[in-house]
């Protein structure tokens, strides 16, 4: 099967990025948000990102316009009914995701592949509420989607090899390097990344080192583009807290347990860059250390 028409559910940070890469790669793309306000905001984010790509010389103005022409927004989930592939990128709530998978399963023809961009929830939890568990898989993009070259595909115990092969070809067609994980919480990337980020929080929490030295240590010591506390602010502390809880629930091992400081910061609303404050206070003009 060849994918021609793509649907994206959710036009937040990840959904907008996914819709952008699909439209830029030549796919007829429809992105859905729950209301007109959120849709306008998401499409605006997407247009700003493409304008930035033009400014940086990564995209020609002509290709930007062509990508814009292949993209349309909607607030109705049912409008995705003619899509070959639908990528769900909504909030990390299993209840919300399950409802979306149930609705899409009812609305779409049997050939439509349903993918989830979940960062950590096992795919079988969504596949099992559909009548097509062989055509459900994980398609985990990295943030920022237009820039990061990876897509992680997750094959649930029900996902067919054909679904995986079609999705692999799609991932490559949108310019990503594809890796494949079996279906367990955290997959490959977050299974390795999240314990590292949690350990950096524990180190800072214990007073062992300053936030700046922890960040500079990993940037200059291992050539990471961002130190762990800066990356936490970038990914979102709420998102990381959520993933840590999913991992801890699945494995019951202490390295996945969210440190008390993370919980406190999330409770206080210090969710990182998007909220103005995380490990660094962006609203007060603080910046992660320059190297
Ligand atoms: N389209 C295409 N290319 C773009 C673009 C766009 N919309 N926006 C930026 N770029 C390109 C730039 O041209 C530049 O390319 P170049 O290196 O060839 O010149 C490159 O992307 C970097 O852009 P910038 O120069 O603007 O930004 P920085 O150099 O400051 O890098 C960063 C920013 C890419 C965010 C970098 O700091 C980074 O890689 N940080 C780590 C990000 C990371 O780890 N993400 C994964 C998080 S984990 C995750 O997502 C999983 C989830 O489940 C939690």
């Amino acid at each position: 099967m060849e994918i021609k028409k793509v649907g994206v559910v959710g036009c937040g940070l990840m959904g907008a990025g996914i819709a952008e890469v699909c439209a830029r790669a030549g796919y007829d793309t429809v992105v859905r948000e729950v209301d007109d306000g959120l849709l306008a905001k998401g499409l605006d984010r997407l247009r700003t990102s493409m304008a930035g790509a033009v400014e940086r010389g990564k995209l020609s103005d002509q290709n930007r316009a062509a990508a814009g022409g292949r993209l349309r927004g909607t607030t109705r989930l049912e409008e995705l009914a003619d899509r070959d592939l639908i990528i769900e990128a909504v909030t990390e709530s299993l209840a919300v995701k399950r409802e979306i998978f149930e609705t899409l399963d009812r609305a779409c023809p049997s050939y439509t592949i349903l993918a989830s961009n979940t960062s950590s929830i096992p795919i079988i939890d969504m596949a099992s509420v559909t009548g097509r568990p062989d055509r459900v898989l994980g398609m985990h993009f990295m943030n920022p989607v237009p820039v990061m070259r990876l897509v992680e595909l997750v094959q649930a115990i029900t996902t067919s090899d054909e679904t995986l092969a079609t999705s692999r070809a799609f991932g490559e067609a949108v310019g990503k390097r594809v890796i494949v994980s079996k279906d367990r919480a955290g997959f490959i990337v977050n299974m390795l990344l999240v314990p590292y980020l949690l350990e950096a929080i524990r180190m800072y929490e214990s007073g062992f080192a300053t936030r700046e030295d922890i960040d500079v240590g990993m940037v200059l010591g291992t050539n990471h583009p961002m130190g762990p506390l800066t990356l936490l602010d970038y990914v979102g502390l709420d998102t990381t807290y959520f993933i840590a809880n999913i991992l801890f629930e699945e494995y019951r091992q202490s390295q996945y347990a969210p440190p008390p400081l993370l919980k406190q910061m999330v409770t206080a609303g210090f969710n990182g860059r998007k909220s103005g404050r995380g490990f660094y206070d962006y609203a007060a003009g603080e910046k992660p250390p320059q190297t």
Side-chain angles (χ1 to χ4, degrees):
M1 178 188 166
E2 197 198 340
I3 305 292
K4 291 202 175 98
K5 296 177 183 172
V6 180
V8 180
V9 185
C11 198
L13 197 61
M14 297 304 284
I18 295 168
E20 176 183 335
V21 297
C22 294
R24 278 170 66 170
Y27 290 97
D28 175 329
T29 307
V30 180
V31 59
R32 183 263 188 175
E33 244 320 334
V34 283
D35 63 45
D36 289 333
L38 284 173
L39 182 62
K41 196 172 158 201
L43 291 175
D44 210 44
R45 182 200 303 267
L46 196 157
R47 284 189 207 105
T48 305
S49 170
M50 287 212 284
V54 172
E55 255 169 49
R56 289 180 176 92
K58 297 280 163 186
L59 179 68
S60 72
D61 203 37
Q62 194 185 3
N63 285 343
R64 181 196 56 75
R70 286 189 284 267
L71 188 91
R72 142 175 99 77
T74 180
T75 53
R76 295 187 57 244
L77 208 49
E78 290 72 16
E79 272 195 48
L80 304 185
D82 68 339
R83 304 286 102 185
D84 303 315
L85 166 69
I86 301 177
I87 307 166
E88 166 276 311
V90 304
T91 182
E92 288 283 62
S93 152
L94 181 56
V96 175
K97 287 181 191 291
R98 280 187 149 172
E99 201 183 319
I100 287 169
F101 273 78
E102 271 170 355
T103 307
L104 291 174
D105 186 44
R106 273 196 305 272
C108 297
S110 61
Y111 59 76
T112 304
I113 294 176
L114 304 179
S116 175
N117 177 58
T118 180
S119 56
S120 50
I121 301 174
I123 301 305
I124 193 65
D125 289 344
M126 289 156 272
S128 57
V129 299
T130 72
R132 66 185 79 206
D134 55 320
R135 258 152 293 146
V136 177
L137 84 164
M139 203 177 268
H140 181 213
F141 290 85
M142 304 294 134
N143 178 23
V145 182
V147 176
M148 303 301 284
R149 290 185 50 223
L150 188 78
V151 66
E152 183 174 33
L153 301 183
V154 185
Q155 185 172 22
I157 48 170
T158 52
T159 312
S160 71
D161 289 343
E162 193 194 340
T163 298
L164 189 68
T166 305
S167 304
R168 179 189 283 280
F170 168 79
E172 287 166 358
V174 297
K176 303 298 182 196
R177 174 72 190 264
V178 175
I179 59 173
V180 179
S181 170
K182 294 284 183 211
D183 188 27
R184 49 176 210 169
F187 318 132
I188 296 172
V189 172
N190 281 331
M191 185 78 177
L192 294 171
L193 179 65
V194 171
Y196 154 71
L197 296 177
L198 298 179
E199 204 50 46
I201 300 174
R202 284 186 202 104
M203 189 180 272
Y204 175 59
E205 188 177 35
S206 72
F208 182 78
T210 63
R211 55 188 184 170
E212 287 83 0
D213 281 358
I214 294 169
D215 275 347
V216 171
M218 293 311 288
V219 173
L220 295 186
T222 63
N223 269 357
H224 284 202
M226 289 174 165
L229 301 176
T230 306
L231 183 57
L232 277 154
D233 281 355
Y234 188 76
V235 166
L237 271 62
D238 49 347
T239 305
T240 310
Y241 182 60
F242 179 86
I243 300 172
N245 278 316
I246 296 266
L247 294 177
F248 186 67
E249 204 175 293
E250 178 110 329
Y251 304 108
R252 302 280 167 189
Q253 287 168 5
S254 59
Q255 71 261 38
Y256 306 114
L261 178 61
L262 178 61
K263 186 177 178 192
Q264 284 166 33
M265 291 177 77
V266 171
T267 307
F270 300 165
N271 287 330
R273 241 171 229 274
K274 62 187 170 191
S275 69
R277 180 164 173 184
F279 288 96
Y280 298 92
D281 191 346
Y282 304 91
E286 276 184 5
K287 284 191 180 128
Q290 299 299 304
T291 50

